[in-house]
Amino acid sequence: MSDNKNLKPGWKVWRFDQIAINVNVRIDNPSESGMEHYVGLEHLDADSLKIRRWGTPDDVEATKLMFKKGDIIFARRRAYQRKLGVAEFDGICSAHAMVLRAKPEVVLPEFLPFFMQSNLFMNRAVEISVGSLSPTINWKTMAAQEFALPSMDEQISLATAFSSIDELLHELDSAQRELAIAERSAIQSVLGEDDKWLMATMKSVVKSIEAGKSPKASSLPAEPHELGVLKVSAVGSQGYCPEENKALLNPNDFIPEATVEIGDFLVTRANAQPQGVARTCIVESTPNNLMLCDKTWRLRFTADAPPKQFILAWTKLPKFRSYIEALCSGTEAKNISQEKFLAAPMVHLDKGQQEDIGRAMEEIERAKKALEKRRGAVLSFKRSFLNKAFGED
């Protein structure tokens, strides 16, 4: 249990309950919590402390946990997924998480999340998990675990280094978002002034629309060996999020023809807000155990349609979005029919514009891949540095 073998100078062994507080403030009625944010396990990304996605308390029922800005939300269920995030706002989270708060007399609050990302901590978390289908950590066992931590001065030094690496990762994420804006600007440049655009409709480029199904499912994401169905939130504002799924209760409900595949162009037909209707993405990578939900469409395009990347960018431009949001219907949730979607505006490209758009898309795609490669290298360095710092290299 203890990490006191070959202890480094200045390091000291502590029980985890001496390192962190388990904040167990339970919220029985999420919709009446007064909070704006709900963070589920599906909203936490592996190996990232940044929480980029969230829902609302109205999305969920049953007891949840309250957290405050600065708290660590750690997925105690299926710990091998390596999910934890640092809250940048107050809110409620899944009861399958632990809300942890550093004890500053022992550990620097800025240091603790990085320590928890190390193999030393994560491997221990997996070891003490119990249960076969959804292994889970209980606080009593976690509290008794012993870990060696460096002196406060060394914690400050390490936290500064780790934070610098994370800042670089955040800058690369920002660069990816800026590239998406540049993509739309490039399209606008090729098309020229919008009063000179030759307009058609989405029907002119869409060959077929396939809707998914939503069988009964659990509240937890599917494991690799399980079959799952996408949530509508899988088509996110930043692209495709395969983590946004639910495991099927009955595997026989899985529809093979509705399996999500690389290259699919997905569209949401319904969402809580108009801004989430007709949200689009292209699937660049995905596990093969997920199917479309009934609130998501898969589009197939005609042979002479513009590149999918162009259509994706077009669906984010004001001319398209204003049409969609004006025609959304529904009271509790907003949606759009296939008929109205196919009548949405789509610019017609002449041969020269098609060629110019194609070249612009190729250049942007190369830039995207270069950014992704650099981000992967930085993330690999961070993992190596983390594990070396804690003697797990």
Side-chain angles (χ1 to χ4, degrees):
M1 299 280 288
S2 175
D3 285 45
N4 54 10
K5 292 181 179 179
N6 303 316
L7 204 60
K8 298 178 183 179
W11 288 52
K12 185 177 178 180
V13 174
W14 304 88
R15 289 193 320 274
F16 195 69
D17 61 356
Q18 295 175 307
I19 295 172
I21 300 168
N22 179 36
V23 182
N24 194 26
V25 181
R26 304 177 76 81
I27 302 296
D28 293 325
N29 297 303
S31 61
E32 299 175 7
S33 67
M35 298 292 183
E36 296 181 5
H37 302 89
Y38 164 71
V39 177
L41 302 191
E42 68 275 14
H43 299 131
L44 300 174
D45 293 321
D47 294 315
S48 174
L49 298 178
K50 188 83 170 176
I51 300 174
R52 299 181 178 86
R53 307 182 303 281
W54 51 80
T56 68
D58 291 337
D59 297 336
V60 293
E61 299 176 350
T63 300
K64 306 300 175 190
L65 301 177
M66 181 184 291
F67 62 83
K68 296 290 185 181
K69 182 179 179 180
D71 287 344
I72 299 169
I73 303 172
F74 170 56
R76 66 187 183 93
R77 176 170 258 178
R78 297 173 176 171
Y80 54 82
Q81 294 181 336
R82 305 175 69 92
K83 291 186 173 186
L84 69 146
V86 179
E88 296 180 354
F89 43 76
D90 295 353
I92 61 173
C93 68
S94 168
H96 298 305
M98 283 182 187
V99 178
L100 301 172
R101 194 172 296 162
K103 290 188 174 182
E105 64 274 17
V106 172
V107 64
L108 192 71
E110 295 83 1
F111 174 81
L112 180 57
F114 293 115
F115 170 72
M116 292 178 63
Q117 284 189 310
S118 69
N119 283 348
L120 177 68
F121 178 85
M122 285 295 182
N123 290 344
R124 183 75 61 79
V126 171
E127 287 172 7
I128 65 173
S129 297
V130 294
S132 54
L133 295 178
S134 295
T136 304
I137 301 167
N138 65 67
W139 171 247
K140 185 176 180 180
T141 304
M142 184 81 257
Q145 301 305 303
E146 295 181 338
F147 298 99
L149 296 181
S151 67
M152 195 62 69
D153 286 344
E154 192 171 350
Q155 287 184 34
I156 292 171
S157 177
L158 286 170
T160 300
F162 293 141
S163 295
S164 296
I165 298 171
D166 262 18
E167 185 59 36
L168 178 55
L169 288 171
H170 296 160
E171 288 176 3
L172 291 171
D173 290 339
S174 296
Q176 288 176 320
R177 290 191 291 272
E178 289 169 6
L179 192 57
I181 296 172
E183 182 178 58
R184 293 193 284 272
S185 296
I187 287 171
Q188 198 90 31
S189 176
V190 171
L191 295 179
E193 297 296 324
D194 58 2
D195 59 351
K196 298 178 181 178
W197 294 353
L198 180 60
M199 297 306 300
T201 64
M202 289 299 293
K203 188 175 182 178
S204 68
V205 297
V206 176
K207 181 179 179 180
S208 65
I209 296 180
E210 176 189 350
K213 301 288 184 182
S214 290
K216 291 182 179 180
S218 76
S219 59
L220 291 172
E223 287 286 284
H225 64 276
E226 295 178 313
L227 298 174
V229 58
L230 291 182
K231 297 181 181 179
V232 67
S233 51
V235 185
S237 58
Q238 301 300 319
Y240 178 61
C241 304
E243 297 84 2
E244 295 280 321
N245 74 77
K246 298 183 290 186
L248 297 186
L249 295 179
N250 184 352
N252 293 327
D253 289 336
F254 189 84
I255 303 172
E257 294 77 14
T259 302
V260 185
E261 300 176 344
I262 294 173
D264 282 350
F265 191 105
L266 305 183
V267 184
T268 58
R269 69 161 183 84
N271 217 312
Q273 301 295 329
Q275 296 85 351
V277 177
R279 186 176 279 169
T280 56
C281 73
I282 296 173
V283 177
E284 296 184 357
S285 64
T286 187
N288 61 2
N289 61 330
L290 302 177
M291 60 176 278
L292 295 170
C293 73
D294 64 349
K295 293 180 181 178
T296 305
W297 293 328
R298 171 163 44 204
L299 302 190
R300 307 288 189 195
F301 298 106
T302 60
D304 58 350
K308 282 190 289 188
Q309 288 288 352
F310 169 76
I311 300 175
L312 179 70
W314 171 261
T315 61
K316 301 180 188 302
L317 293 181
K319 195 173 188 71
F320 180 87
R321 291 304 316 166
S322 59
Y323 168 89
I324 294 293
E325 292 174 25
L327 290 184
C328 285
S329 59
T331 51
E332 293 185 2
K334 302 298 181 181
N335 61 78
I336 194 165
S337 67
Q338 286 193 23
E339 182 181 8
K340 289 180 179 177
F341 175 80
L342 290 173
M346 176 66 200
V347 68
H348 176 78
L349 302 179
D350 61 33
K351 185 176 180 180
Q353 288 173 322
Q354 281 263 28
E355 292 174 352
D356 290 342
I357 289 291
R359 283 193 292 269
M361 293 294 102
E362 286 178 5
E363 290 180 11
I364 290 168
E365 193 62 24
R366 280 196 293 270
K368 285 181 179 178
K369 289 181 178 179
L371 273 175
E372 289 169 3
K373 184 177 180 180
R374 187 179 179 195
R375 191 183 188 284
V378 174
L379 184 57
S380 178
F381 173 75
K382 177 187 174 181
R383 289 170 181 159
S384 177
F385 186 23
L386 268 173
N387 296 325
K388 186 174 182 180
F390 300 111
E392 291 288 310
D393 54 328

